[in-house]
């Protein structure tokens, strides 16, 4: 089991980061928010978990134990695999997820793509009492950075569409979702790729 990595960030995208350790680059899936904290060319330390399937061995990276604990706890819920767990964490922080479970707030959980009413209710039951140790600080996800580009470029739109396809959505669904997210967002020109992906995922969750 690969539990952590310390090395140089040599590449990153909306939903992945590559950390080079002793000449070996480890491709790790993660959330847009976590990607945003890691800079190319700098040393990084990430906690990881390895998910082994018949057709793949995939590393997932996190910057603190709350994130990894949440990722592992989510997968213990029937119907939630690694991909859905990461999609949930791209919309809700560990603290927000813990608060929603504690309050029985299934509607908030349904903001995540892949989470319908039944699954949200199952999550409330199965995760009850298992996320209490997480941080109680609730942050507001998706707020644009002051350094975000002032115009929404085609490259940003394409990056987000590619990320959605990587999460299992069709190209048509990805394109229409991004367009709807942009249309529903006030001051869309302030969105960077990470914020737009969050908005798109929330759009998918809200359209169920």
């Amino acid at each position: 089991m690969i539990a952590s990595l310390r090395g140089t960030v040599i590449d990153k995208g909306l939903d992945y980061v590559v950390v080079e350790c002793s000449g070996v680059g480890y491709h790790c899936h993660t959330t847009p928010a976590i990607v945003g904290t890691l800079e190319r060319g700098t040393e990084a330390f990430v906690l990881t978990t390895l998910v082994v399937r018949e057709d793949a061995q995939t590393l997932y990276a996190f910057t603190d134990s709350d994130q990894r604990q949440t990722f592992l706890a989510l997968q213990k819920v029937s119907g939630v695999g690694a991909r859905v767990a990461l999609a949930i964490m791209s919309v809700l922080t560990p603290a927000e997820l813990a608060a929603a479970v504690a309050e029985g707030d299934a509607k908030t959980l349904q903001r995540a793509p892949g989470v319908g009413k039944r699954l949200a209710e199952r999550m409330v039951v199965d995760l009850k009492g298992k996320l209490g140790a997480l941080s109680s600080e609730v942050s507001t996800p998706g707020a644009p950075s002051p350094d975000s580009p002032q115009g929404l470029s085609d490259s940003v739109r394409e990056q987000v569409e590619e990320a959605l396809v990587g999460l299992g959505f069709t190209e048509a669904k990805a394109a229409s979702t991004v367009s709807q997210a942009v249309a529903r967002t006030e001051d869309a020109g302030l969105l960077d790729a990470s914020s737009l992906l969050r908005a798109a995922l929330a759009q998918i969750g809200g359209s169920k």
Side-chain angles (χ1 to χ4, degrees), residues 74-82 84-85 88 114-115 119 122-123 126:
L74 281 168
Q75 292 178 78
K76 294 180 180 179
V77 178
S78 177
V80 178
V84 173
I88 292 170
V115 179
L119 181 54
R122 189 184 307 141
M123 288 170 61
D126 292 356

Side-chain angles (χ1 to χ4, degrees), residues 22-97:
S22 301
V24 179
Y26 294 86
H27 186 287
C28 307
H29 290 275
T30 188
T31 68
I34 293 174
V35 170
T37 68
L38 303 172
E39 296 296 330
R40 287 188 181 89
T42 63
E43 182 179 272
F45 175 76
V46 293
L47 300 175
T48 60
T49 212
L50 179 64
V51 175
V52 179
R53 297 173 52 186
E54 292 184 0
D55 58 345
Q57 296 184 29
T58 308
L59 268 177
Y60 293 86
F62 311 95
T63 53
D64 63 53
S65 58
D66 279 0
Q67 295 165 354
R68 183 167 65 177
Q69 178 186 343
T70 299
F71 181 72
L72 295 173
L74 281 168
Q75 292 178 78
K76 294 180 180 179
V77 178
S78 177
V80 178
R83 179 175 290 181
V84 173
L86 198 65
I88 292 170
M89 293 179 65
S90 293
V91 175
L92 300 172
T93 66
E96 289 170 334
L97 177 63

Side-chain angles (χ1 to χ4, degrees), residues 124-195:
V124 168
V125 174
D126 292 356
L127 295 175
K128 198 78 169 181
K130 297 180 180 178
L131 302 177
L134 298 179
S135 170
S136 60
E137 295 183 4
V138 178
S139 60
T140 302
S145 163
D147 298 324
S148 297
Q150 294 302 304
L152 184 63
S153 67
D154 290 340
S155 63
V156 169
R157 182 185 293 270
E158 290 171 1
Q159 287 179 61
V160 175
E161 290 178 1
E162 289 176 3
L164 290 174
V165 171
L167 288 172
F169 300 100
T170 64
E171 292 184 2
K173 176 67 173 178
S176 64
T177 297
V178 170
S179 294
Q180 291 173 38
V182 171
R184 290 169 61 91
T185 302
E186 188 174 346
D187 295 328
L190 298 179
L191 290 173
D192 58 9
S194 177
S195 298

